[in-house]
Amino acid sequence: MEQYIIEGGTPLVGEVVIGGAKNAALGILAAAIMTDGQCMIDNMPNVRDTNVLLQAMEGIGARVVRKGDNEVLISGKCIDSSGELLVDNEYIRKIRASYYLIGALLGKYKKAKAALPGGCDIGSRPIDQHIKGFRALGADVRIEHGMIMAEAEELRGSHIYLDVVSVGATINIMMAASLAIGNTIIENAAKEPHIVDVANFLNSMGANIKGAGTDVIRIKGVEKFHDTEYSIIPDQIEAGTFMMAAAATRGDVLIRNVIPKHLEAISAKLNEIGAVVEEWDDAVRVAATRRLKHTQIKTLPYPGFPTDMQPQIAVTLGLSKGTSIITESIFENRFRYVDEMRRMGANIKVVDGNTAIISGVERYTGATVETPDLRAGAALVIAGLAAEGYTTVNNIGYIQRGYERFDEKLRGLGGMIEKVDSEREANKYIYKTGTVD
Ligand code: EPZ
């Protein structure tokens, strides 16, 4: 099983280039099958989640041609709509976001079938709002034997009020509604940058979607989509992760290929705790020369502080002066990294299941830690880079779901990190880099 072995204590310094947004790419790639034309998509992150989704798309007959690590040509023309259009459980089990193919297939072929996604590491993650939206558009949605089946003679626009602000439901409903007859309004819609990117992609194929990025999205159904070429926006969470890594290691990093507006909540918090944050059109610089201060955070839907940045700022605050409080309001099980952080000397207590009380400590010490989920894994790497001594991070497959060339990019900033696949290799790294006592 692959691991990261990290020798901590080196401030990260230099420049890093951010890749395409994973959570925009998953919606955009699924939506690309909705045209019989060709979609040329670039700035696609080459990570496990996007690669698994592309396999799922090939599994239903879509044409997928990789034009390089970060560019792909997709066409839905070859999909055999006379079949049952089943999204195989293998793919739904590997990545929940395969469920975006339900909205895409329902929109285009008026039918779709997929295994119901289970819960995951950070919460139960129901899809009742997705189902509510499909039914409002006129689809018959049944759940039988762990499968979700959606079918409609035709889809007609509707006025849909989401009970919960849901990124996935907003994207799935937007896709299905874009080829429905008539107008759809989605109220209480999610406003994340990746919602806007999926809407812009759909519009580039000929959809008529307005208001994405606000909590009311208006969609005029169209007959069919055409070819498009599209470039995915930079990943707000990858950028935020490197911003926190710079702060936690007291480094000085220029993070390039970002949209600063998408990072406002993260930059504001870093400023508040004493880091220096400078912004340019497509770059941000984060520097921290002295120990940071405590703060309070509540994770919220965009433009609030993103839940996907919660573990990363928690490990940064774990080294700050004073006591910080983090309330996780989106997912019910997103503090599983806290037990691992205690092994590194962190003083974090989780109360009521969704609030972490973080008493800052002077230093972390390296340890062997287990990755519980994608963003927690990135946070444990940040902690290892800031710690004294060696840290081994296990189960890094989680991290590779959402970060492309993560260890390579960190080494480019002076981070002492290697990907190894055995204890022996880990010991070799320690021997090679170990300081002679
Ligand atoms: C997306 O998940 C992201 N994943 C998550 O990022 C991110 O944490 C989340 O949005 C919130 O920003 C992708 O985009 C692939 P939600 P999603 O539907 O769509 C509840 C990462 O690290 N809910 O916005 O599944 C749900 O339980 C991942 O990249 C319902 O109750 O999140 C949660 O409490 C982790 N019913 C809240 O809404 C529903 O039908 C927000 O979930 C749907 C959601």
Side-chain angles (χ1 to χ4, degrees), residues 313-387:
I313 198 164
V315 302
T316 303
L317 292 172
L319 290 170
S320 299
K321 270 197 300 269
T323 300
S324 301
I325 310 275
I326 297 184
T327 304
E328 172 56 59
S329 77
I330 308 291
F331 290 112
E332 63 268 32
N333 192 22
R334 203 163 203 177
F335 285 119
R336 290 172 57 210
Y337 60 91
V338 168
D339 291 340
E340 299 305 308
M341 281 307 299
R342 279 202 200 97
R343 302 163 58 78
M344 299 178 73
N347 184 346
I348 306 177
K349 217 181 0 285
V350 177
V351 296
D352 303 333
N354 72 340
T355 301
I357 299 170
I358 304 171
S359 306
V361 295
E362 293 274 344
R363 66 196 182 102
Y364 294 142
T365 53
T368 296
V369 291
E370 302 296 321
T371 299
D373 60 71
L374 163 58
R375 305 300 176 186
L380 292 172
V381 169
I382 292 173
L385 290 164

Side-chain angles (χ1 to χ4, degrees), residues 6 33 71 98 135 156-157 177 184 203 210 268 272 283 292 378 387:
I6 301 164
I33 65 159
E71 192 172 8
S98 304
R135 284 177 173 152
R156 284 200 166 276
T184 293
N203 285 340
K210 292 186 172 49
E272 189 186 313
L292 298 171

Side-chain angles (χ1 to χ4, degrees), residues 212-227:
T214 75
D215 53 8
V216 182
I217 298 178
R218 297 172 191 283
I219 301 152
K220 281 187 190 323
V222 297
E223 290 273 313
K224 59 189 287 197
F225 290 153
H226 50 65
D227 295 4

Side-chain angles (χ1 to χ4, degrees), residues 10-245:
T10 306
L12 296 182
V13 176
E15 288 192 16
V16 64
V17 179
I18 298 303
K22 166 182 83 84
N23 292 344
L26 295 171
I28 287 168
L29 294 175
I33 65 159
M34 297 177 79
T35 175
D36 284 343
Q38 294 200 335
C39 297
M40 182 64 88
I41 297 166
D42 74 11
N43 203 34
M44 177 193 78
N46 180 24
V47 294
R48 209 185 96 189
D49 277 15
T50 48
N51 291 326
V52 168
L53 181 60
L54 289 172
Q55 288 166 357
M57 290 159 62
E58 288 180 305
I60 55 170
R63 182 162 170 262
V64 174
V65 180
R66 295 296 289 253
K67 299 283 187 187
D69 281 352
N70 306 106
E71 192 172 8
V72 65
L73 179 71
I74 294 169
S75 172
K77 189 178 175 62
C78 325
I79 294 173
D80 172 8
S81 58
S82 65
E84 63 173 342
L85 293 177
L86 165 66
V87 181
D88 192 305
N89 186 22
E90 172 198 356
Y91 301 115
I92 291 261
R93 216 181 36 250
K94 277 184 187 162
I95 61 160
R96 301 166 35 78
S98 304
Y99 61 28
Y100 283 146
L101 290 171
I102 301 173
L105 291 167
L106 183 63
K108 184 181 181 187
Y109 300 108
K110 312 303 180 254
K111 64 178 176 181
K113 187 177 176 184
L116 203 58
C120 77
D121 321 295
I122 59 176
S124 66
R125 304 186 76 179
I127 61 165
D128 56 300
Q129 298 300 302
H130 303 236
I131 294 169
K132 171 179 179 173
F134 295 154
R135 284 177 173 152
L137 293 170
D140 170 42
V141 182
R142 283 173 292 123
I143 293 178
E144 289 168 2
H145 312 299
M147 304 293 285
I148 173 172
M149 287 160 281
E151 204 155 359
E153 280 304 307
E154 59 180 21
L155 292 177
R156 284 200 166 276
S158 174
H159 194 151
I160 300 162
Y161 197 102
L162 292 181
D163 305 318
V164 180
V165 175
S166 161
V167 167
T170 302
I171 289 175
N172 239 342
I173 297 164
M174 203 162 58
M175 285 193 282
S178 57
L179 289 178
I181 299 163
N183 301 337
T184 293
I185 298 176
I186 305 175
E187 302 248 19
N188 200 24
K191 302 185 274 193
E192 273 70 4
H194 28 294
I195 304 277
V196 178
D197 214 25
V198 175
N200 290 341
F201 172 76
L202 287 163
N203 285 340
S204 78
M205 289 196 292
N208 184 333
I209 300 171
K210 292 186 172 49
T214 75
D215 53 8
V216 182
I217 298 178
R218 297 172 191 283
I219 301 152
K220 281 187 190 323
V222 297
E223 290 273 313
K224 59 189 287 197
F225 290 153
H226 50 65
D227 295 4
T228 187
E229 291 188 8
Y230 197 80
S231 191
I232 295 170
I233 55 167
D235 192 314
Q236 148 205 45
I237 305 301
E238 184 191 15
T241 302
F242 280 97
M243 292 166 76
M244 288 302 154

